[in-house]
Amino acid sequence: MRIIFAGTPDFARVALERLHASGFDIALVLTQPDRPAGRGLKLQASPVKQFALAHGIPVTQPRSLRLDGKYPADAAAARDSLLAARAEAMVVAAYGLILPQWVLDLPVRGCFNIHASLLPRWRGAAPIHRAIEAGDAETGITIMQMDAGLDTGDMLLMHTTPITGRDTTATLHDRLADLGGKLIVLALNEAAAGRLKPVRQPAEGVTYAHKIEKAESQVDWSNPASVIERRIRAFDPFPGASGSLAGETIKLWKSHTDSMKRPSDAGNGQILLVNDDGVRVVCGDGVLCVTELQRAGAKRLAAADFLRGFPVGEGARFDAPASA
């Protein structure tokens, strides 16, 4: 099958790599424009663009696909490229641009989206983060026939995977990226054989995975320890959960709820016990043991190594976040 692929980050690159290895004729790749990155803020190509160029696949990078939008020339040039590609289907994975109706209508088999949740739960921009943050027991990949709504199209294939108590967004991302690559190959093969049966999304159980904001990284110690523990895993690697201690911003990367009883006279954010096993902090409900921390400009360190360079006394206290 001759296809167009639209995607930008590493999650999408995995799917593109799997499609290429499976022998699909990838006529064109759409990806976001190069962005400044790194300390030197040099323009850097997306992972999808890097793979496409390495394998001789044509790439186009419009700033918008709206013909009546802010960049009509970009959209018009992209339309010419899409028409010239003469593709049967378009695969979309974390592309980052809204597809207007003229794009959705262009391929004869339509546009297939690889979405990292079990729809209709966690429609939107950050389904992996939000599933961990909410304490979901499982998530998965949904292959969806795209329509004009926000992740509202008919479901074509779905596969689940458990969310463990050790999963971070980084580990779950990699597992779902691999699963998405496998499932989109299967979906296109089933489509070619006429075996796909679209299923409408149920009206019940709709939730939205809103974009992750940097401001969310600040830990609110008035929350239960179990909630904070999930947020630490959900915000790894971005934006990273953080707390302010002794005038410094400290990133918190690993933790677990502790069996230590919360003293009734202790304040939220107060440090109860410090040893090589971790830093135990009072929460709104329970105690959290933080086992991996990081100072600004330094590396992530296990608690024992961190404490050698940043002594923390029992009774010290993390500041409440500004929002609180």
Side-chain angles (χ1 to χ4, degrees):
M1 187 185 295
R2 188 171 172 84
I3 65 170
I4 295 165
F5 186 89
T8 298
D10 201 54
F11 179 87
R13 180 202 57 79
V14 174
L16 177 60
E17 182 178 346
R18 190 62 63 91
L19 289 164
H20 183 267
S22 298
F24 285 90
D25 182 5
I26 305 166
L28 179 68
V29 160
L30 274 70
T31 191
Q32 286 276 323
D34 297 358
R35 306 289 190 201
R39 292 186 177 181
L41 294 180
K42 295 181 180 179
L43 287 179
Q44 183 170 320
S46 73
V48 163
K49 179 180 178 180
Q50 292 176 40
F51 181 88
L53 293 181
H55 293 83
I57 305 170
V59 175
T60 187
Q61 298 174 270
R63 289 168 290 180
S64 171
L65 291 168
R66 290 184 55 183
L67 296 168
D68 58 350
K70 188 176 180 181
Y71 304 104
D74 280 33
R79 180 180 58 182
D80 292 343
S81 296
L82 289 167
L83 287 169
R86 300 183 181 277
E88 290 182 64
M90 184 172 180
V91 173
V92 182
Y95 176 33
L97 288 184
I98 294 173
L99 302 189
Q101 193 63 47
W102 71 263
V103 177
L104 298 174
D105 294 340
L106 195 62
V108 292
R109 295 186 185 273
C111 298
F112 296 71
N113 179 243
I114 308 169
H115 188 75
S117 81
L118 303 174
L119 292 171
R121 185 163 177 81
W122 302 128
R123 295 173 179 172
I128 301 175
H129 302 75
R130 299 305 183 191
I132 294 174
E133 183 184 20
D136 290 1
E138 64 178 11
T139 186
I141 291 289
T142 304
I143 305 298
M144 176 189 66
Q145 188 86 52
M146 295 181 71
D147 62 15
L150 177 62
D151 300 328
T152 56
D154 290 348
M155 300 179 293
L156 303 173
L157 288 178
M158 182 181 288
H159 194 89
T160 64
T161 187
I163 300 176
T164 74
R166 293 185 177 182
D167 268 324
T168 65
T169 288
T171 62
L172 190 54
H173 166 280
D174 291 351
R175 199 155 74 245
L176 289 171
D178 183 65
L179 180 58
K182 293 176 181 176
L183 215 57
I184 191 60
V185 169
L186 176 60
L188 292 180
N189 285 331
E190 292 291 286
R195 290 193 293 260
L196 282 181
K197 296 181 179 179
V199 176
R200 292 179 66 88
Q201 292 189 35
E204 301 78 24
V206 175
T207 58
Y208 288 92
H210 298 288
K211 182 180 177 181
I212 301 296
E213 303 291 347
K214 284 188 177 181
E216 295 183 71
S217 67
Q218 292 188 342
V219 172
D220 184 350
W221 297 101
S222 68
N223 284 322
S226 58
V227 170
I228 298 172
E229 187 275 335
R230 292 199 305 265
R231 287 174 69 90
I232 288 173
R233 290 189 288 116
F235 294 169
D236 180 359
F238 176 84
S242 64
S244 179
L245 181 65
E248 286 198 39
T249 297
I250 306 297
K251 292 279 190 179
L252 315 174
W253 292 113
K254 288 185 180 179
S255 67
H256 59 81
T257 56
D258 197 82
S259 59
M260 194 173 184
K261 188 175 180 181
R262 183 196 192 283
S264 59
D265 59 346
N268 297 329
Q270 182 177 329
I271 295 173
L272 289 180
L273 180 65
V274 178
N275 58 31
D276 286 352
D277 293 335
V279 179
R280 289 163 177 82
V281 188
V282 175
C283 305
D285 180 11
V287 174
L288 187 74
C289 181
V290 185
T291 59
E292 185 174 286
L293 308 91
Q294 179 183 19
R295 297 177 76 176
K299 297 179 180 179
R300 298 187 186 193
L301 294 173
D305 296 324
F306 176 85
L307 292 167
R308 277 191 278 273
F310 189 85
V312 176
E314 294 171 10
R317 189 167 177 172
F318 281 96
D319 297 337
S323 59

